Amino acid sequence: MVRELVRMGADAIKTATTGWASEIPGLGPIDPVMHRDELEALVDEAHLLGRRVLCHAIGGPGQRLAVEVGVDSLDHGCYLDEDPDLVQLMLDKQIFYVPTFSVFTHHSEKGTPQSRFWTNQFKDHHSRSLRLARDAGIKIAAGTDEGGWQHGNNARELGLLVQHGLSPMEAIVAATGTAAACLGLQDTVGTIEPGKTADIILVSGNPLKDISILEWGVSTQLVMKGGYVVVDRRQNTSGS
């Protein structure tokens, strides 16, 4: 399957080692849904083909399996605080942590009864897990996992990261440099420095004082993509 997806053009492989808010027994958020040999084959093949492995894992044995086998990013990791010895293993294996608070905030407010129940069950664990990862020095990347629910407002995740323990600057770095590194794109994007693609935004206001100004692009005044200005909302004060 990995080879087939790569032939179809996949830049990364997303998998899952735990279930989610299913009413079907054995498919809950801390239930493992993959055998070790299966995940080892998936990770080995993806890495052989130069693709990174992003892994949905909420908690329990499936979360441990993902870390032990060596996926490239642990997505969600809501119960990392219950398995703290995994933190050193994540550091040793350079596994990124992508907590995705946005999607669970959505589920807690507008999800099915089952998803609302589970998100409220692990809400405090999730917050503690972020702080545990930050304090240990794990690389935290901002990701939403939101699909079509609020696509286009990725900046909401930054506010939630701050709400759960990061500083505004830490949240911005999580969404830029660390996110690029998580996807293996650190040599071309993610930071402003010579030799990299000039992807830059200019905003009005100071997101270090109020991170919410980044949401929905309302404060964005200029967007530069690859060195070319593609959006310019600045008022022309020169009169020309």
Side-chain angles (χ1 to χ4, degrees):
M1 180 56 69
V2 169
R3 288 194 290 267
E4 181 179 340
L5 290 172
V6 170
R7 284 195 295 268
M8 293 170 65
D11 296 313
I13 303 298
K14 178 71 179 284
T15 190
T17 54
T18 74
W20 169 219
S22 173
E23 295 182 1
I24 301 173
L27 295 178
I30 56 175
D31 293 325
V33 295
M34 187 178 291
H35 292 291
R36 180 176 294 269
D37 58 348
E38 293 176 309
L39 185 61
E40 287 174 344
L42 185 156
V43 171
D44 287 348
E45 195 66 30
H47 288 171
L48 178 67
L49 297 173
R51 301 305 192 273
R52 298 179 70 78
V53 178
L54 322 175
C55 186
H56 161 109
I58 294 179
Q63 178 179 256
R64 172 168 286 276
L65 175 65
V67 174
E68 288 182 348
V69 170
V71 300
D72 295 293
S73 76
L74 182 70
D75 296 0
H76 316 314
C78 305
Y79 285 105
L80 187 60
D81 67 317
E82 288 199 334
D83 216 350
D85 63 311
L86 290 182
V87 169
Q88 186 59 50
L89 200 53
M90 289 180 70
L91 286 168
D92 294 343
K93 293 177 176 288
Q94 300 184 51
I95 297 173
F96 290 79
Y97 181 43
V98 188
T100 67
F101 286 102
S102 299
V103 68
F104 295 120
T105 300
H106 168 83
H107 280 303
S108 69
E109 296 170 350
K110 301 177 182 178
T112 64
Q114 191 78 353
S115 63
R116 288 200 301 271
F117 167 79
W118 274 110
T119 50
N120 286 317
Q121 283 288 105
F122 58 62
K123 178 172 60 178
D124 292 339
H125 288 282
H126 200 187
S127 189
R128 286 195 294 270
S129 295
L130 174 67
R131 295 193 296 273
L132 178 67
R134 178 206 59 197
D135 293 346
I138 289 174
K139 294 178 181 178
I140 297 166
T144 64
D145 198 44
E146 286 213 89
W149 296 307
Q150 265 196 321
H151 191 65
N153 192 27
N154 294 7
R156 184 188 193 205
E157 181 70 14
L158 278 68
L160 291 169
L161 288 170
V162 170
Q163 178 182 319
H164 289 279
L166 297 195
S167 70
M169 180 56 81
E170 286 174 328
I172 290 171
V173 171
T176 52
T178 308
C182 182
L183 295 173
L185 301 174
Q186 66 276 5
D187 292 336
T188 54
V189 297
T191 58
I192 302 172
E193 54 186 304
K196 291 193 177 183
T197 302
D199 290 350
I200 302 169
I201 65 169
L202 173 69
V203 300
S204 58
N206 185 353
L208 298 182
K209 293 183 177 179
D210 180 6
I211 197 74
S212 69
I213 67 168
L214 299 176
E215 290 202 34
W216 294 116
V218 294
S219 67
T220 302
Q221 299 300 301
L222 181 138
V223 178
M224 181 180 287
K225 174 65 177 171
Y228 294 93
V229 174
V230 294
V231 174
D232 191 349
R233 298 172 181 161
R234 299 171 298 173
Q235 291 184 344
N236 190 337
T237 57
S238 66
S240 59

